[in-house]
Short mmCIF file of all heavy atoms in Angstrom, two decimals:
data_model
loop_
_atom_site.label_atom_id
_atom_site.label_comp_id
_atom_site.label_asym_id
_atom_site.label_seq_id
_atom_site.Cartn_x
_atom_site.Cartn_y
_atom_site.Cartn_z
N ARG A 56 16.69 306.40 -9.45
CA ARG A 56 16.66 306.77 -8.02
C ARG A 56 17.86 306.17 -7.28
O ARG A 56 18.48 306.84 -6.46
CB ARG A 56 15.36 306.29 -7.38
CG ARG A 56 14.31 307.37 -7.38
CD ARG A 56 13.10 306.97 -6.56
NE ARG A 56 12.03 306.72 -7.52
CZ ARG A 56 11.40 305.58 -7.70
NH1 ARG A 56 11.66 304.56 -6.96
NH2 ARG A 56 10.48 305.45 -8.62
N ALA A 57 18.18 304.92 -7.57
CA ALA A 57 19.32 304.28 -6.91
C ALA A 57 20.62 304.97 -7.27
O ALA A 57 21.50 305.14 -6.41
CB ALA A 57 19.37 302.80 -7.29
N VAL A 58 20.75 305.40 -8.51
CA VAL A 58 21.97 306.12 -8.94
C VAL A 58 22.10 307.44 -8.19
O VAL A 58 23.18 307.80 -7.72
CB VAL A 58 21.94 306.33 -10.48
CG1 VAL A 58 22.95 307.36 -10.92
CG2 VAL A 58 22.18 305.02 -11.19
N ILE A 59 21.01 308.15 -8.05
CA ILE A 59 21.03 309.44 -7.35
C ILE A 59 21.31 309.24 -5.86
O ILE A 59 22.09 309.98 -5.26
CB ILE A 59 19.71 310.20 -7.59
CG1 ILE A 59 19.63 310.63 -9.04
CG2 ILE A 59 19.59 311.39 -6.65
CD1 ILE A 59 18.29 311.16 -9.47
N ILE A 60 20.73 308.20 -5.27
CA ILE A 60 20.99 307.91 -3.86
C ILE A 60 22.46 307.53 -3.66
O ILE A 60 23.11 307.98 -2.69
CB ILE A 60 20.05 306.80 -3.35
CG1 ILE A 60 18.63 307.33 -3.28
CG2 ILE A 60 20.50 306.28 -1.99
CD1 ILE A 60 17.59 306.26 -3.02
N ALA A 61 23.00 306.73 -4.58
CA ALA A 61 24.41 306.35 -4.49
C ALA A 61 25.30 307.59 -4.55
O ALA A 61 26.27 307.72 -3.79
CB ALA A 61 24.78 305.38 -5.60
N TYR A 62 24.97 308.52 -5.43
CA TYR A 62 25.76 309.76 -5.54
C TYR A 62 25.65 310.58 -4.27
O TYR A 62 26.64 311.15 -3.79
CB TYR A 62 25.31 310.57 -6.75
CG TYR A 62 26.16 311.78 -6.99
CD1 TYR A 62 27.43 311.65 -7.54
CD2 TYR A 62 25.71 313.06 -6.68
CE1 TYR A 62 28.23 312.77 -7.76
CE2 TYR A 62 26.50 314.18 -6.89
CZ TYR A 62 27.75 314.02 -7.44
OH TYR A 62 28.54 315.12 -7.65
N ALA A 63 24.47 310.63 -3.69
CA ALA A 63 24.28 311.41 -2.46
C ALA A 63 25.04 310.78 -1.29
O ALA A 63 25.61 311.50 -0.46
CB ALA A 63 22.80 311.49 -2.13
N ILE A 64 25.09 309.47 -1.21
CA ILE A 64 25.75 308.80 -0.09
C ILE A 64 27.26 308.72 -0.29
O ILE A 64 28.03 309.03 0.61
CB ILE A 64 25.17 307.38 0.09
CG1 ILE A 64 23.71 307.46 0.54
CG2 ILE A 64 25.99 306.57 1.08
CD1 ILE A 64 23.01 306.12 0.56
N GLU A 65 27.68 308.33 -1.49
CA GLU A 65 29.09 308.03 -1.73
C GLU A 65 29.86 309.17 -2.40
O GLU A 65 31.08 309.13 -2.46
CB GLU A 65 29.20 306.77 -2.59
CG GLU A 65 28.57 305.55 -1.93
CD GLU A 65 28.45 304.37 -2.85
OE1 GLU A 65 28.87 304.47 -4.04
OE2 GLU A 65 27.94 303.33 -2.41
N GLY A 66 29.16 310.14 -2.96
CA GLY A 66 29.83 311.24 -3.62
C GLY A 66 30.28 310.95 -5.04
O GLY A 66 30.99 311.74 -5.66
N ARG A 67 29.87 309.81 -5.57
CA ARG A 67 30.20 309.45 -6.95
C ARG A 67 29.08 308.54 -7.48
O ARG A 67 28.37 307.90 -6.71
CB ARG A 67 31.55 308.75 -7.05
CG ARG A 67 31.63 307.46 -6.29
CD ARG A 67 33.03 306.84 -6.35
NE ARG A 67 33.08 305.66 -5.52
CZ ARG A 67 32.70 304.46 -5.90
NH1 ARG A 67 32.22 304.25 -7.12
NH2 ARG A 67 32.78 303.43 -5.08
N TYR A 68 28.97 308.50 -8.79
CA TYR A 68 27.97 307.63 -9.40
C TYR A 68 28.52 306.20 -9.48
O TYR A 68 29.74 306.00 -9.65
CB TYR A 68 27.60 308.13 -10.80
CG TYR A 68 26.78 309.39 -10.77
CD1 TYR A 68 27.33 310.61 -11.14
CD2 TYR A 68 25.46 309.38 -10.33
CE1 TYR A 68 26.59 311.78 -11.10
CE2 TYR A 68 24.71 310.53 -10.28
CZ TYR A 68 25.27 311.73 -10.67
OH TYR A 68 24.53 312.88 -10.61
N PRO A 69 27.65 305.20 -9.37
CA PRO A 69 28.13 303.80 -9.46
C PRO A 69 28.77 303.52 -10.81
O PRO A 69 28.35 304.03 -11.86
CB PRO A 69 26.85 302.98 -9.30
CG PRO A 69 25.87 303.90 -8.66
CD PRO A 69 26.23 305.27 -9.10
N GLU A 70 29.82 302.69 -10.78
CA GLU A 70 30.56 302.40 -12.01
C GLU A 70 29.89 301.35 -12.89
O GLU A 70 30.18 301.25 -14.07
CB GLU A 70 31.99 301.97 -11.69
CG GLU A 70 32.11 300.78 -10.76
CD GLU A 70 32.06 301.16 -9.28
OE1 GLU A 70 32.17 302.33 -8.93
OE2 GLU A 70 31.86 300.23 -8.49
N SER A 71 28.93 300.58 -12.34
CA SER A 71 28.25 299.57 -13.16
C SER A 71 26.84 299.31 -12.63
O SER A 71 26.51 299.64 -11.49
CB SER A 71 29.04 298.25 -13.13
OG SER A 71 28.97 297.67 -11.85
N ILE A 72 26.06 298.70 -13.46
CA ILE A 72 24.68 298.36 -13.10
C ILE A 72 24.69 297.21 -12.08
O ILE A 72 23.80 297.11 -11.24
CB ILE A 72 23.84 298.04 -14.36
CG1 ILE A 72 22.35 298.10 -14.03
CG2 ILE A 72 24.19 296.70 -14.92
CD1 ILE A 72 21.83 299.46 -13.84
N GLU A 73 25.71 296.37 -12.13
CA GLU A 73 25.82 295.27 -11.17
C GLU A 73 26.01 295.81 -9.76
O GLU A 73 25.48 295.25 -8.78
CB GLU A 73 26.99 294.34 -11.54
CG GLU A 73 26.72 293.48 -12.76
CD GLU A 73 26.88 294.23 -14.09
OE1 GLU A 73 27.53 295.31 -14.11
OE2 GLU A 73 26.34 293.73 -15.09
N TYR A 74 26.75 296.90 -9.61
CA TYR A 74 26.94 297.53 -8.31
C TYR A 74 25.59 298.01 -7.74
O TYR A 74 25.33 297.84 -6.55
CB TYR A 74 27.90 298.72 -8.45
CG TYR A 74 28.18 299.43 -7.15
CD1 TYR A 74 29.16 298.97 -6.28
CD2 TYR A 74 27.46 300.57 -6.80
CE1 TYR A 74 29.42 299.61 -5.09
CE2 TYR A 74 27.70 301.22 -5.59
CZ TYR A 74 28.68 300.74 -4.74
OH TYR A 74 28.91 301.37 -3.56
N ILE A 75 24.76 298.54 -8.61
CA ILE A 75 23.43 298.99 -8.18
C ILE A 75 22.59 297.79 -7.74
O ILE A 75 21.90 297.85 -6.72
CB ILE A 75 22.74 299.77 -9.32
CG1 ILE A 75 23.50 301.05 -9.61
CG2 ILE A 75 21.29 300.07 -8.97
CD1 ILE A 75 23.06 301.75 -10.87
N GLU A 76 22.66 296.71 -8.49
CA GLU A 76 21.89 295.51 -8.14
C GLU A 76 22.33 294.95 -6.78
O GLU A 76 21.49 294.58 -5.95
CB GLU A 76 22.07 294.42 -9.20
CG GLU A 76 21.28 294.65 -10.46
CD GLU A 76 21.47 293.53 -11.43
OE1 GLU A 76 22.57 293.40 -12.01
OE2 GLU A 76 20.49 292.77 -11.63
N GLU A 77 23.63 294.89 -6.57
CA GLU A 77 24.15 294.30 -5.33
C GLU A 77 23.87 295.17 -4.10
O GLU A 77 23.54 294.66 -3.04
CB GLU A 77 25.66 294.07 -5.46
CG GLU A 77 26.02 293.01 -6.45
CD GLU A 77 27.53 292.97 -6.73
OE1 GLU A 77 28.28 293.70 -6.05
OE2 GLU A 77 27.92 292.23 -7.63
N ASN A 78 24.04 296.48 -4.24
CA ASN A 78 24.01 297.35 -3.07
C ASN A 78 22.71 298.09 -2.83
O ASN A 78 22.50 298.63 -1.74
CB ASN A 78 25.15 298.37 -3.16
CG ASN A 78 26.51 297.71 -3.13
OD1 ASN A 78 26.79 296.93 -2.22
ND2 ASN A 78 27.31 297.95 -4.15
N PHE A 79 21.83 298.12 -3.81
CA PHE A 79 20.59 298.89 -3.65
C PHE A 79 19.33 298.06 -3.83
O PHE A 79 18.23 298.58 -3.85
CB PHE A 79 20.58 300.09 -4.60
CG PHE A 79 21.60 301.12 -4.23
CD1 PHE A 79 22.86 301.10 -4.81
CD2 PHE A 79 21.33 302.06 -3.28
CE1 PHE A 79 23.81 302.03 -4.47
CE2 PHE A 79 22.27 303.01 -2.91
CZ PHE A 79 23.53 302.98 -3.51
N GLY A 80 19.50 296.75 -3.97
CA GLY A 80 18.34 295.86 -3.99
C GLY A 80 17.47 295.96 -5.23
O GLY A 80 16.31 295.58 -5.22
N ILE A 81 18.02 296.45 -6.31
CA ILE A 81 17.28 296.52 -7.57
C ILE A 81 17.38 295.14 -8.25
O ILE A 81 18.48 294.63 -8.44
CB ILE A 81 17.84 297.61 -8.51
CG1 ILE A 81 17.85 298.98 -7.83
CG2 ILE A 81 17.09 297.64 -9.83
CD1 ILE A 81 16.50 299.55 -7.58
N HIS A 82 16.24 294.58 -8.60
CA HIS A 82 16.23 293.30 -9.33
C HIS A 82 15.92 293.59 -10.79
O HIS A 82 14.92 294.22 -11.11
CB HIS A 82 15.17 292.36 -8.75
CG HIS A 82 14.99 291.13 -9.57
ND1 HIS A 82 15.94 290.14 -9.62
CD2 HIS A 82 14.00 290.75 -10.40
CE1 HIS A 82 15.52 289.19 -10.45
NE2 HIS A 82 14.34 289.55 -10.94
N ILE A 83 16.79 293.11 -11.66
CA ILE A 83 16.62 293.32 -13.11
C ILE A 83 16.36 291.96 -13.75
O ILE A 83 17.19 291.05 -13.64
CB ILE A 83 17.86 293.98 -13.72
CG1 ILE A 83 18.08 295.35 -13.09
CG2 ILE A 83 17.71 294.11 -15.23
CD1 ILE A 83 19.38 296.02 -13.48
N ASP A 84 15.23 291.83 -14.41
CA ASP A 84 14.90 290.62 -15.15
C ASP A 84 15.57 290.71 -16.51
O ASP A 84 15.08 291.35 -17.43
CB ASP A 84 13.38 290.49 -15.29
CG ASP A 84 12.97 289.18 -15.92
OD1 ASP A 84 13.85 288.36 -16.26
OD2 ASP A 84 11.75 288.95 -16.05
N ARG A 85 16.72 290.08 -16.63
CA ARG A 85 17.53 290.18 -17.85
C ARG A 85 16.90 289.47 -19.04
O ARG A 85 17.29 289.71 -20.17
CB ARG A 85 18.92 289.64 -17.59
CG ARG A 85 19.61 290.34 -16.43
CD ARG A 85 20.84 291.02 -16.87
NE ARG A 85 21.50 291.61 -15.70
CZ ARG A 85 21.94 292.84 -15.71
NH1 ARG A 85 21.82 293.58 -16.77
NH2 ARG A 85 22.53 293.33 -14.65
N GLU A 86 15.92 288.62 -18.79
CA GLU A 86 15.23 287.97 -19.89
C GLU A 86 14.20 288.89 -20.53
O GLU A 86 13.84 288.72 -21.69
CB GLU A 86 14.54 286.70 -19.41
CG GLU A 86 15.51 285.62 -18.99
CD GLU A 86 14.81 284.38 -18.48
OE1 GLU A 86 13.57 284.31 -18.57
OE2 GLU A 86 15.51 283.48 -18.01
N ARG A 87 13.73 289.88 -19.77
CA ARG A 87 12.72 290.81 -20.29
C ARG A 87 13.29 292.16 -20.71
O ARG A 87 12.71 292.83 -21.57
CB ARG A 87 11.64 291.05 -19.24
CG ARG A 87 10.75 289.87 -19.00
CD ARG A 87 9.70 290.15 -17.98
NE ARG A 87 8.91 291.33 -18.34
CZ ARG A 87 8.16 292.01 -17.49
NH1 ARG A 87 8.12 291.68 -16.22
NH2 ARG A 87 7.47 293.04 -17.89
N PHE A 88 14.42 292.57 -20.08
CA PHE A 88 14.93 293.92 -20.30
C PHE A 88 16.43 293.91 -20.64
O PHE A 88 17.17 293.08 -20.13
CB PHE A 88 14.72 294.79 -19.06
CG PHE A 88 13.29 294.90 -18.63
CD1 PHE A 88 12.84 294.28 -17.48
CD2 PHE A 88 12.38 295.61 -19.39
CE1 PHE A 88 11.53 294.36 -17.08
CE2 PHE A 88 11.06 295.71 -19.00
CZ PHE A 88 10.63 295.08 -17.84
N ILE A 89 16.81 294.88 -21.45
CA ILE A 89 18.21 295.15 -21.72
C ILE A 89 18.49 296.51 -21.07
O ILE A 89 17.75 297.47 -21.29
CB ILE A 89 18.48 295.22 -23.24
CG1 ILE A 89 18.15 293.89 -23.89
CG2 ILE A 89 19.93 295.63 -23.51
CD1 ILE A 89 18.18 293.95 -25.41
N ILE A 90 19.58 296.59 -20.29
CA ILE A 90 19.93 297.81 -19.60
C ILE A 90 21.16 298.42 -20.26
O ILE A 90 22.19 297.75 -20.40
CB ILE A 90 20.23 297.55 -18.10
CG1 ILE A 90 19.12 296.76 -17.45
CG2 ILE A 90 20.51 298.86 -17.38
CD1 ILE A 90 17.79 297.44 -17.44
N HIS A 91 21.05 299.67 -20.67
CA HIS A 91 22.19 300.41 -21.18
C HIS A 91 22.59 301.39 -20.08
O HIS A 91 21.83 302.28 -19.70
CB HIS A 91 21.81 301.18 -22.46
CG HIS A 91 22.87 302.13 -22.90
ND1 HIS A 91 24.01 301.71 -23.52
CD2 HIS A 91 22.95 303.49 -22.79
CE1 HIS A 91 24.76 302.79 -23.78
NE2 HIS A 91 24.14 303.86 -23.35
N TYR A 92 23.79 301.17 -19.53
CA TYR A 92 24.29 302.00 -18.44
C TYR A 92 25.70 302.41 -18.83
O TYR A 92 26.61 301.59 -18.88
CB TYR A 92 24.29 301.22 -17.13
CG TYR A 92 24.72 302.03 -15.92
CD1 TYR A 92 23.81 302.80 -15.24
CD2 TYR A 92 26.04 302.01 -15.48
CE1 TYR A 92 24.18 303.54 -14.13
CE2 TYR A 92 26.42 302.74 -14.38
CZ TYR A 92 25.48 303.51 -13.71
OH TYR A 92 25.87 304.24 -12.62
N ARG A 93 25.87 303.67 -19.14
CA ARG A 93 27.19 304.17 -19.58
C ARG A 93 27.57 305.36 -18.70
O ARG A 93 26.84 306.34 -18.64
CB ARG A 93 27.13 304.58 -21.03
CG ARG A 93 28.49 304.94 -21.59
CD ARG A 93 28.41 305.12 -23.08
NE ARG A 93 29.28 306.24 -23.39
CZ ARG A 93 29.03 307.18 -24.25
NH1 ARG A 93 27.90 307.16 -24.92
NH2 ARG A 93 29.86 308.15 -24.45
N ILE A 94 28.72 305.23 -18.07
CA ILE A 94 29.18 306.30 -17.20
C ILE A 94 30.39 306.96 -17.85
O ILE A 94 31.30 306.29 -18.37
CB ILE A 94 29.51 305.77 -15.78
CG1 ILE A 94 29.82 306.91 -14.86
CG2 ILE A 94 30.60 304.75 -15.81
CD1 ILE A 94 29.67 306.57 -13.40
N PHE A 95 30.41 308.28 -17.85
CA PHE A 95 31.49 309.05 -18.45
C PHE A 95 32.55 309.37 -17.40
O PHE A 95 33.74 309.18 -17.62
CB PHE A 95 30.94 310.34 -19.09
CG PHE A 95 31.98 311.24 -19.65
CD1 PHE A 95 32.67 310.90 -20.79
CD2 PHE A 95 32.31 312.42 -19.00
CE1 PHE A 95 33.65 311.73 -21.30
CE2 PHE A 95 33.27 313.26 -19.51
CZ PHE A 95 33.95 312.92 -20.65
N ALA A 96 32.10 309.86 -16.27
CA ALA A 96 33.00 310.18 -15.15
C ALA A 96 32.22 309.96 -13.86
O ALA A 96 30.99 309.91 -13.86
CB ALA A 96 33.48 311.63 -15.24
N SER A 97 32.94 309.85 -12.76
CA SER A 97 32.27 309.54 -11.50
C SER A 97 31.40 310.69 -10.98
O SER A 97 30.58 310.49 -10.11
CB SER A 97 33.30 309.16 -10.44
OG SER A 97 34.14 310.27 -10.15
N ASN A 98 31.59 311.90 -11.53
CA ASN A 98 30.78 313.03 -11.08
C ASN A 98 29.78 313.52 -12.14
O ASN A 98 29.18 314.57 -11.99
CB ASN A 98 31.68 314.18 -10.64
CG ASN A 98 32.54 314.71 -11.77
OD1 ASN A 98 32.68 314.04 -12.80
ND2 ASN A 98 33.11 315.87 -11.59
N VAL A 99 29.63 312.77 -13.22
CA VAL A 99 28.68 313.11 -14.29
C VAL A 99 27.60 312.03 -14.32
O VAL A 99 27.91 310.83 -14.32
CB VAL A 99 29.38 313.20 -15.66
CG1 VAL A 99 28.39 313.48 -16.76
CG2 VAL A 99 30.49 314.24 -15.63
#
Side-chain angles (χ1 to χ4, degrees):
R56 266 189 251 119
V58 165
I59 292 169
I60 291 170
Y62 185 75
I64 294 172
E65 301 170 0
R67 62 183 175 84
Y68 289 108
E70 56 275 347
S71 69
I72 197 73
E73 288 79 18
Y74 181 84
I75 295 169
E76 283 182 290
E77 292 170 7
N78 296 307
F79 292 94
I81 304 292
H82 172 71
I83 299 172
D84 186 359
R85 303 242 183 227
E86 293 178 7
R87 289 181 56 198
F88 302 109
I89 299 171
I90 309 298
H91 171 76
Y92 183 85
R93 187 171 142 221
I94 187 160
F95 176 71
S97 65
N98 62 344
V99 177

